[in-house]
Amino acid sequence: MQTVDLASQAEQLAAGETTSVDLTERSLAAIDALQPTLNAFITVDRDGALTAAAAADQRRAAGQPLSSLDGVPIAHKDIFCTAGVKTTCGSRMLESFVPPYNATVVERLAAAGLVMVGKTNMDEFAMGSSNETSFYGNVGNPWDTTRSPGGSSGGSAAAVAAGIVAGATGTDTGGSIRQPAALCGITGFKPTYGRASRYGMIAFASSLDQAGTLTRTAKDAALLLDHLCGFDPKDSTSLDVAAESFSATLDKPLTGLRIGVAEAFYDDGLAPGCRDALEQALDQYRSLGASVASVELPHLYLSVPTYYVVAPAECSSNLSRFDGIRFGHRADDCNDLTELYTRSRSEGFGDEVKRRIMTGTYVLSSGYYDAYYLKAQRARQLISGDFAAAFEQVDLIAGPTAPTPAFGLGDKVDDPVTMYLNDIYTIGANLAGLPAMSLPMGTVDGLPVGMQLIGPALSEARLLNAAHGYQSVTEWHRATPNVFSGAES
Ligand code: GLN
């Protein structure tokens, strides 16, 4: 069961070899078995899932499935509002928040018949690269539970890698889909900024946040994205572009595909094993008929400092709504309004969130706005310009997703800058609003490592085609951790 992917589950349902109730029960049983070691879920919606599964089975029996994925179980990152189901965003601040409405992403996947089994663990308000800032505890990496699954979508990545569900949603502001996908040996996809709706997705940094998928294969990503993406009038930054079937062009030959590699991705922090795996992946692409050429991304080195001005600035504004009155945890027994605000926010937010709010407030303050925020916006333009120039020469850019395989839980928590550097290769695509993905490309010390593919705006179909081509001739995406026997012993 652990190795089953979305496409196979859909085929089994279509062939009458299984039912949605059966798949859902197996998924719920896997959550129970693995929650003590992985802690991948914050909330499990057992009753809701079984009711939705029974309805999916009825539709199928009546010959009216909503889509090919009708009845397939998935999980949602706990950043997406789910009507009637607790949505914490990994924070104490929202410990008892039950949204009255669904995020558009949740709504769209439910409209395709997908069954939500629960809400996955994540870094608090999606701020983190290791899932260790969650108020609900660490998530274990299924390949080695003493290691981090990455973050902030660490629960979704661990749930898919462990085979609890074949697909899950995530969000990516600076790498939070791609980096955990890399560290857990699965495929993670972040669409072009604006291609998936942000409505009902709790905001971290609104000009960077984007919803996407964590799945075992690129084909599964395409199947989910076909439903997840699309214009939404409820999101003012949603792109009003024609709908496209990403799964329709997966098998196009890769002959003539032009891949760029940038020296900027090969810095001192890149583990030699990751570099070797990437070289082999590029050879694989050459043998599929692609060409590989070098491109320049001269300002990419500015992406981490730029991000850590822009993202905190936006977060300090977005998180001001959590004041204990309009939203969020309210402190008891306060004597006046100031004490209520101060104590509610002090108790509700964890250290990393407070650090970002303080940084963001500082860079936006009148005396420092020009020196930091405005300067960061200029650097952001330079980074976007680099990508635009590179995409005049190549169709996509390949590089590593993260500098190293999964690191140990606790290894980086006390050093925020080292933690921030884990996103050094992923942040550029967010700053430029580009679609990007991570796919398994090998192992280093027995742990999976990911290759990142970045494309020009709206090139999702091309990226998925390139990733599927690679996965058609490699087996890395099929490797699974032996987490079930670990959990049982
Ligand atoms: N790790 C990055 C951060 O902490 C990115 C997070 C994300 O993409 N949500 O901000």
Side-chain angles (χ1 to χ4, degrees), residues 12-340:
Q12 287 166 9
L13 284 168
E17 291 162 15
T18 187
T19 63
S20 177
V21 168
D22 183 41
L23 289 176
T24 304
E25 277 173 349
R26 280 152 65 186
S27 180
L28 292 167
I31 297 178
D32 290 342
L34 294 173
Q35 192 62 6
T37 36
L38 298 185
N39 193 29
F41 283 78
I42 293 175
T43 300
V44 181
D45 185 18
R46 202 170 295 277
D47 294 345
L50 289 170
T51 305
D57 285 336
Q58 272 179 13
R59 286 191 293 269
R60 209 171 272 277
Q64 292 173 325
L66 295 170
S67 75
S68 66
L69 299 179
D70 195 350
V72 174
I74 53 161
H76 286 301
K77 184 176 182 179
D78 207 21
I79 198 168
F80 292 100
C81 286
T82 39
V85 178
K86 196 172 68 160
T87 300
T88 70
C89 217
S91 182
R92 182 182 181 199
M93 190 51 104
L94 293 175
E95 199 176 3
S96 51
F97 175 53
V98 178
Y101 69 105
N102 277 330
T104 297
V105 159
V106 171
E107 197 65 43
R108 292 181 73 102
L109 294 179
L114 287 135
V115 172
M116 178 191 79
V117 292
K119 307 292 293 290
T120 57
N121 203 343
M122 55 179 284
D123 279 301
E124 185 178 10
F125 284 102
M127 299 174 199
S129 307
S130 66
N131 224 110
E132 290 168 291
T133 72
S134 169
F135 177 66
Y136 303 92
N138 297 334
V139 171
N141 187 316
W143 291 88
D144 172 351
T145 53
T146 67
R147 291 176 189 268
S148 165
S152 64
S153 312
S156 286
V160 172
I164 294 173
V165 279
T169 53
T171 60
D172 193 312
T173 303
S176 278
I177 288 175
R178 289 161 286 158
Q179 183 257 16
L183 272 45
C184 288
I186 59 168
T187 302
F189 198 98
K190 174 197 102 68
T192 307
Y193 179 77
R195 195 126 205 203
S197 172
R198 289 187 297 110
Y199 178 76
M201 189 174 111
I202 296 171
F204 162 14
S206 308
S207 77
L208 301 160
D209 296 343
Q210 188 58 197
T213 55
L214 294 113
T215 55
R216 192 164 291 289
T217 65
K219 180 175 180 182
D220 282 1
L223 290 170
L224 270 189
L225 291 163
D226 278 348
H227 299 290
L228 187 149
C229 291
F231 175 63
D232 180 9
K234 292 184 190 142
D235 170 2
S236 61
T237 57
S238 177
L239 289 175
D240 193 358
V241 290
E244 197 183 336
S245 168
F246 305 125
S247 52
T249 48
L250 287 172
D251 290 317
K252 253 178 51 188
L254 300 187
T255 342
L257 179 75
R258 297 169 303 163
I259 299 179
V261 287
E263 200 48 44
F265 283 118
Y266 291 95
D267 61 15
D268 292 346
L270 181 63
C274 292
R275 199 185 173 119
D276 296 345
L278 186 58
E279 292 302 335
Q280 282 171 25
L282 291 170
D283 280 344
Q284 197 69 254
Y285 269 115
R286 286 188 188 93
S287 70
L288 287 165
S291 62
V292 179
S294 53
V295 288
E296 302 282 317
L297 295 173
H299 300 97
L300 196 72
Y301 76 99
L302 294 173
S303 56
V304 172
T306 302
Y307 175 86
Y308 279 98
V309 172
V310 174
E314 294 185 16
C315 108
S316 73
S317 165
N318 275 327
L319 270 57
S320 63
R321 75 193 66 179
F322 301 107
D323 57 6
I325 292 182
R326 290 171 299 168
F327 288 99
H329 166 81
R330 181 178 298 181
D332 290 331
D333 304 325
C334 295
N335 295 312
D336 58 34
L337 191 60
T338 308
E339 187 186 345
L340 179 90

